[in-house]
Amino acid sequence: MTSNKLPRVIYVASPELFSRGASSIHVMKMCQAMARLGVDTELLIPANKPIGEICRYYGVEPNFKITSFPYFTNTLLRNVTHGTAASLFIKTKRREYDIVVTRNIVFAYCATKLFKIPTVYDAHHPLVKGASRLFNSFKNSPHLVRFSTNSAGLADIYLRHGLPTSKLTVAHNGVDLKGFEKAPSKEQARKKLGLPLNGKIVCYSGNIYEGRGIELLIDASLRLEEVTFLIVGGLEEDVKVYRDIAQKKRADNIQLVGFVPHESVPTYLLASDILVMPYTSSMTIKGGTKAAEFTSPIKLFEYMAAGRPIVATSLPTVHEILRHKENAVLVNPDSAESLCEGLREVLDNPALACAISERAQSDVRGYTWEERAKKLLGLP
């Protein structure tokens, strides 16, 4: 949209609600952000819960409308049925909106090819098996207003599939800075969580799928025995696997906290001295897809907003946001030794720790959910 008038938006999404993945968090934060910009926003989602419960769970304001559709736990069935039903539903409401944002490729096909609905497709991973034909059918459609990706690496993948550059915008994931307003001090955060008030804490937050570097972190903890390592998040089965590994290696200074509500994550970040992202070159996302080439982790922007120094592995997509010794310390992936050296450098150099954390906290103001929403909608 290029006029000064704010568009009326319907967001079509089909993640599983109340799961522990990032997709549903992303959807809720984006809808909240669009509404905060003054955009009349309606979310169409497979759900069987009232809006109040959904908003409380995700820590978002009830400032947008939610319309529920039949709910299916099977991912493929959910995506296909929701995409089809949503396109038929939206066709009947054509006078009530100006543009539709979606992460559902079935809906994007129906909307652009069958019903001529102005659509923004927001891609977060490469095409899955069987989706190429759908993508090829609408990538040149005049009704595809914009095609967004959450990293330059992912943009390159779609450009290789023939996406016109004129359709493309890169919009990295973001952070809700309100979650870090009136932030507690490190001491207050530790008291709230029952953590030791003295000593250094290194924290990782997020899912702990294969390739996320958790074993590297366990190995680093063996070399930094005076430091407490927190791993916050993860599915129960994954937590058990790494707990067993830590016990076998006698890594007594590492704590696997497990899943916590998303709204509690900032407290753990603020209780820490260093925030770490030890992804390996074979890191994966939900479903086992290797994602080092295109990942845009929400945690990275939360780390930056927390104002704590970041030590991260030097993956290509990380380089899109972080710069070595400017707003983070970057280390070689796949190396516990390199990770340990990076952590030690920050621990031993308070001036460096302060400089990179302050720069990251300043830089992240360009990566809020509101700024991302503007890019998707073409707003100034």
Side-chain angles (χ1 to χ4, degrees), residues 125-128 131-133 135-137 139-140 147 153-164:
H125 52 70
L127 293 167
V128 298
S132 295
R133 184 173 296 180
F135 170 74
N136 288 331
S137 73
K139 66 185 180 186
N140 293 301
F147 190 104
L154 186 58
D156 289 340
I157 292 173
Y158 277 97
L159 290 173
R160 292 197 294 270
H161 281 290
L163 177 71

Short mmCIF file of all heavy atoms in Angstrom, two decimals, residues 125-128 131-133 135-137 139-140 147 153-164:
data_model
loop_
_atom_site.label_atom_id
_atom_site.label_comp_id
_atom_site.label_asym_id
_atom_site.label_seq_id
_atom_site.Cartn_x
_atom_site.Cartn_y
_atom_site.Cartn_z
N HIS A 125 10.38 -20.08 5.61
CA HIS A 125 11.22 -21.25 5.32
C HIS A 125 11.14 -21.53 3.83
O HIS A 125 10.23 -21.04 3.14
CB HIS A 125 10.80 -22.47 6.13
CG HIS A 125 9.33 -22.79 6.02
ND1 HIS A 125 8.76 -23.29 4.86
CD2 HIS A 125 8.31 -22.65 6.90
CE1 HIS A 125 7.47 -23.47 5.05
NE2 HIS A 125 7.17 -23.09 6.27
N PRO A 126 12.06 -22.31 3.30
CA PRO A 126 12.00 -22.65 1.87
C PRO A 126 10.74 -23.45 1.55
O PRO A 126 10.03 -23.92 2.44
CB PRO A 126 13.27 -23.47 1.65
CG PRO A 126 14.17 -23.13 2.79
CD PRO A 126 13.26 -22.86 3.95
N LEU A 127 10.50 -23.63 0.28
CA LEU A 127 9.33 -24.40 -0.16
C LEU A 127 9.44 -25.84 0.32
O LEU A 127 10.49 -26.48 0.21
CB LEU A 127 9.25 -24.39 -1.69
CG LEU A 127 8.93 -23.03 -2.33
CD1 LEU A 127 9.19 -23.08 -3.82
CD2 LEU A 127 7.50 -22.62 -2.03
N VAL A 128 8.36 -26.34 0.88
CA VAL A 128 8.32 -27.73 1.30
C VAL A 128 7.95 -28.59 0.08
O VAL A 128 7.52 -28.08 -0.96
CB VAL A 128 7.30 -27.94 2.44
CG1 VAL A 128 7.71 -27.14 3.66
CG2 VAL A 128 5.89 -27.56 2.00
N ALA A 131 5.17 -27.95 -2.80
CA ALA A 131 4.68 -26.57 -2.82
C ALA A 131 5.20 -25.76 -4.01
O ALA A 131 4.70 -24.66 -4.27
CB ALA A 131 5.07 -25.87 -1.52
N SER A 132 6.17 -26.29 -4.73
CA SER A 132 6.76 -25.52 -5.84
C SER A 132 5.74 -25.17 -6.90
O SER A 132 5.74 -24.06 -7.46
CB SER A 132 7.90 -26.32 -6.48
OG SER A 132 8.97 -26.49 -5.59
N ARG A 133 4.83 -26.10 -7.19
CA ARG A 133 3.83 -25.84 -8.23
C ARG A 133 2.91 -24.70 -7.81
O ARG A 133 2.56 -23.84 -8.63
CB ARG A 133 3.03 -27.11 -8.50
CG ARG A 133 2.01 -26.96 -9.64
CD ARG A 133 1.36 -28.28 -9.98
NE ARG A 133 2.35 -29.22 -10.50
CZ ARG A 133 2.05 -30.47 -10.88
NH1 ARG A 133 0.81 -30.91 -10.77
NH2 ARG A 133 2.99 -31.26 -11.35
N PHE A 135 3.68 -22.25 -5.69
CA PHE A 135 4.47 -21.01 -5.73
C PHE A 135 4.63 -20.51 -7.17
O PHE A 135 4.44 -19.32 -7.44
CB PHE A 135 5.84 -21.27 -5.11
CG PHE A 135 6.83 -20.16 -5.31
CD1 PHE A 135 6.72 -18.98 -4.61
CD2 PHE A 135 7.86 -20.30 -6.24
CE1 PHE A 135 7.63 -17.94 -4.81
CE2 PHE A 135 8.78 -19.27 -6.43
CZ PHE A 135 8.66 -18.09 -5.72
N ASN A 136 4.97 -21.41 -8.08
CA ASN A 136 5.18 -21.00 -9.47
C ASN A 136 3.90 -20.46 -10.10
O ASN A 136 3.96 -19.63 -11.01
CB ASN A 136 5.71 -22.18 -10.29
CG ASN A 136 7.14 -22.52 -9.95
OD1 ASN A 136 7.92 -21.65 -9.56
ND2 ASN A 136 7.51 -23.79 -10.10
N SER A 137 2.75 -20.90 -9.61
CA SER A 137 1.48 -20.47 -10.19
C SER A 137 1.13 -19.03 -9.82
O SER A 137 0.38 -18.38 -10.56
CB SER A 137 0.35 -21.40 -9.75
OG SER A 137 0.03 -21.18 -8.38
N LYS A 139 3.66 -16.62 -8.34
CA LYS A 139 4.79 -15.72 -8.07
C LYS A 139 4.80 -14.49 -8.96
O LYS A 139 5.35 -13.45 -8.59
CB LYS A 139 6.12 -16.49 -8.21
CG LYS A 139 6.42 -16.97 -9.63
CD LYS A 139 7.68 -17.83 -9.65
CE LYS A 139 7.98 -18.30 -11.08
NZ LYS A 139 9.13 -19.25 -11.09
N ASN A 140 4.17 -14.57 -10.14
CA ASN A 140 4.10 -13.42 -11.04
C ASN A 140 2.71 -12.77 -11.06
O ASN A 140 2.47 -11.87 -11.87
CB ASN A 140 4.47 -13.85 -12.46
CG ASN A 140 5.94 -14.24 -12.58
OD1 ASN A 140 6.83 -13.44 -12.30
ND2 ASN A 140 6.19 -15.47 -12.98
N PHE A 147 6.04 -10.06 -1.56
CA PHE A 147 6.52 -11.35 -1.07
C PHE A 147 7.65 -11.04 -0.09
O PHE A 147 8.69 -10.51 -0.49
CB PHE A 147 7.03 -12.22 -2.22
CG PHE A 147 7.32 -13.64 -1.85
CD1 PHE A 147 6.44 -14.66 -2.22
CD2 PHE A 147 8.47 -13.99 -1.16
CE1 PHE A 147 6.71 -15.99 -1.89
CE2 PHE A 147 8.74 -15.30 -0.84
CZ PHE A 147 7.86 -16.31 -1.20
N GLY A 153 19.13 -14.46 3.38
CA GLY A 153 19.44 -15.82 2.94
C GLY A 153 18.22 -16.51 2.36
O GLY A 153 18.31 -17.19 1.33
N LEU A 154 17.07 -16.33 3.00
CA LEU A 154 15.84 -16.93 2.49
C LEU A 154 15.40 -16.23 1.20
O LEU A 154 14.89 -16.88 0.28
CB LEU A 154 14.74 -16.84 3.54
CG LEU A 154 13.42 -17.56 3.21
CD1 LEU A 154 13.66 -19.04 2.96
CD2 LEU A 154 12.41 -17.36 4.34
N ALA A 155 15.62 -14.93 1.13
CA ALA A 155 15.29 -14.19 -0.09
C ALA A 155 16.06 -14.77 -1.28
O ALA A 155 15.50 -14.96 -2.37
CB ALA A 155 15.62 -12.71 0.08
N ASP A 156 17.33 -15.06 -1.09
CA ASP A 156 18.14 -15.62 -2.17
C ASP A 156 17.58 -16.96 -2.65
O ASP A 156 17.60 -17.27 -3.85
CB ASP A 156 19.59 -15.81 -1.70
CG ASP A 156 20.33 -14.49 -1.53
OD1 ASP A 156 19.88 -13.49 -2.12
OD2 ASP A 156 21.34 -14.47 -0.82
N ILE A 157 17.09 -17.76 -1.71
CA ILE A 157 16.51 -19.06 -2.07
C ILE A 157 15.32 -18.86 -3.00
O ILE A 157 15.18 -19.54 -4.03
CB ILE A 157 16.11 -19.85 -0.81
CG1 ILE A 157 17.36 -20.27 -0.02
CG2 ILE A 157 15.26 -21.07 -1.17
CD1 ILE A 157 17.06 -20.89 1.33
N TYR A 158 14.44 -17.91 -2.65
CA TYR A 158 13.24 -17.70 -3.47
C TYR A 158 13.57 -17.01 -4.79
O TYR A 158 12.92 -17.26 -5.81
CB TYR A 158 12.20 -16.92 -2.68
CG TYR A 158 11.38 -17.82 -1.78
CD1 TYR A 158 11.69 -17.96 -0.43
CD2 TYR A 158 10.33 -18.56 -2.29
CE1 TYR A 158 10.97 -18.81 0.38
CE2 TYR A 158 9.59 -19.42 -1.49
CZ TYR A 158 9.92 -19.54 -0.16
OH TYR A 158 9.20 -20.40 0.63
N LEU A 159 14.57 -16.15 -4.80
CA LEU A 159 14.99 -15.55 -6.07
C LEU A 159 15.50 -16.63 -7.02
O LEU A 159 15.28 -16.56 -8.24
CB LEU A 159 16.06 -14.49 -5.82
CG LEU A 159 15.58 -13.21 -5.13
CD1 LEU A 159 16.77 -12.32 -4.77
CD2 LEU A 159 14.59 -12.45 -6.01
N ARG A 160 16.18 -17.64 -6.48
CA ARG A 160 16.65 -18.74 -7.32
C ARG A 160 15.48 -19.56 -7.88
O ARG A 160 15.61 -20.23 -8.90
CB ARG A 160 17.61 -19.65 -6.54
CG ARG A 160 18.94 -18.97 -6.19
CD ARG A 160 19.99 -20.00 -5.79
NE ARG A 160 19.70 -20.70 -4.56
CZ ARG A 160 20.09 -20.30 -3.36
NH1 ARG A 160 20.79 -19.17 -3.22
NH2 ARG A 160 19.80 -21.02 -2.28
N HIS A 161 14.33 -19.51 -7.18
CA HIS A 161 13.12 -20.18 -7.66
C HIS A 161 12.33 -19.32 -8.64
O HIS A 161 11.25 -19.72 -9.08
CB HIS A 161 12.21 -20.55 -6.48
CG HIS A 161 12.63 -21.77 -5.73
ND1 HIS A 161 12.55 -23.05 -6.27
CD2 HIS A 161 13.15 -21.93 -4.48
CE1 HIS A 161 12.98 -23.92 -5.37
NE2 HIS A 161 13.36 -23.29 -4.29
N GLY A 162 12.86 -18.14 -8.96
CA GLY A 162 12.21 -17.32 -9.96
C GLY A 162 11.31 -16.22 -9.44
O GLY A 162 10.56 -15.61 -10.21
N LEU A 163 11.37 -15.93 -8.14
CA LEU A 163 10.58 -14.82 -7.61
C LEU A 163 11.06 -13.50 -8.22
O LEU A 163 12.26 -13.22 -8.18
CB LEU A 163 10.70 -14.76 -6.08
CG LEU A 163 9.97 -13.58 -5.40
CD1 LEU A 163 8.47 -13.80 -5.46
CD2 LEU A 163 10.44 -13.43 -3.95
N PRO A 164 10.16 -12.68 -8.77
CA PRO A 164 10.59 -11.38 -9.30
C PRO A 164 11.13 -10.48 -8.19
O PRO A 164 10.52 -10.38 -7.11
CB PRO A 164 9.30 -10.80 -9.90
CG PRO A 164 8.40 -11.98 -10.11
CD PRO A 164 8.74 -12.94 -9.02
#
